[in-house]
Amino acid sequence: MPDLHIPAAEGSHQEAYLATPPGTGPWPGVVVLQDVFGVGQNVRDHTDRLAAAGYLAVAPKLYTPRGGGIRCIAAVFRAMTSGQGPAFDDIEAARAWLADRDECTGRIGVIGFCQGGGFALLAAARHDFAAAAPNYGFVPTDAERELEGICPVVASFGGQDTALKGHPERLEKALTTLGVEKDIKTYPTAGHSFHERFYAETLVRHLGAGYDPAASEDSWRRVEAFFGTHLAS
């Protein structure tokens, strides 16, 4: 399950982490989108879990040397909130690279965490994904307009996540209006980043975030069932 380079926007390359299921393919694919801390141990574990469930999974590193350190991080955040920017081209390049592989069926899902949850929603409305799983991700204010054309969505939020107050309801309303198949759930006792095991304890306490094993496992159960329905070849 190596680190490698895959195509990116404008003919360049981006680093990525690839996880391959056991056995022989072809398998459906999933693009795994990083949280604010990048493709660290949390995201690698999520990618490995999807591979164990039978998905060819790739996690592209959206913070790239092309962006230039802090400027790159700021550009990625602007892209998430505006819905525009090279990060979306990089996500599409990762999707196309995965779909073109011989060991992939060509049906691709997208999953994201925190920052990546916001990207997963918007990328799913802009590119050829078959299912999307945003986890505690930003939902755009004009969600009905921004998400027009989106694929089926399974989304999870934490009820104690004050930064995303009102976002689950906004997403529910928009997808209902758009007639999109959905499974949206808020876990009352969970905060932000409830899937993430490896954050510094003092940091997550300060931010009202942190790992919640019950919420995490139930959310994964829903994601795997939803992807099983929509990504099967």
Side-chain angles (χ1 to χ4, degrees), residues 136-233:
Y136 32 86
F138 177 86
V139 179
T141 302
D142 192 358
E144 186 177 334
R145 179 177 64 84
E146 294 285 355
L147 301 181
E148 186 174 359
I150 198 170
C151 57
V153 174
V154 52
S156 299
F157 296 89
Q160 301 303 308
D161 187 352
T162 57
L164 295 179
K165 185 177 181 180
H167 286 237
E169 296 80 6
R170 186 188 302 165
L171 181 60
E172 179 86 40
K173 180 180 179 181
L175 296 183
T176 297
T177 300
L178 293 169
V180 175
E181 185 176 348
K182 62 188 180 302
D183 173 1
I184 301 171
K185 185 170 181 177
T186 298
Y187 294 93
T189 62
H192 195 74
S193 298
F194 60 77
H195 279 302
E196 321 307 339
R197 294 174 180 267
F198 297 107
Y199 288 157
E201 194 64 27
T202 53
L203 173 64
V204 297
R205 266 202 302 267
H206 177 70
L207 296 176
Y211 182 57
D212 185 312
S216 179
E217 285 305 310
D218 186 73
S219 176
W220 273 116
R221 176 191 59 77
R222 291 169 42 244
V223 168
E224 290 170 10
F226 201 84
F227 277 8
T229 296
H230 294 284
L231 300 185
S233 57

Side-chain angles (χ1 to χ4, degrees), residues 21-37:
T24 57
W27 305 283
V30 179
V31 176
V32 184
L33 299 180
Q34 68 189 46
D35 59 29
V36 67
F37 296 103

Side-chain angles (χ1 to χ4, degrees), residues 34 36 62-78:
Q34 68 189 46
V36 67
L62 299 182
Y63 300 152
T64 68
R66 290 180 291 127
I70 295 300
R71 293 194 306 277
C72 173
I73 296 173
V76 169
F77 270 93
R78 285 196 302 272

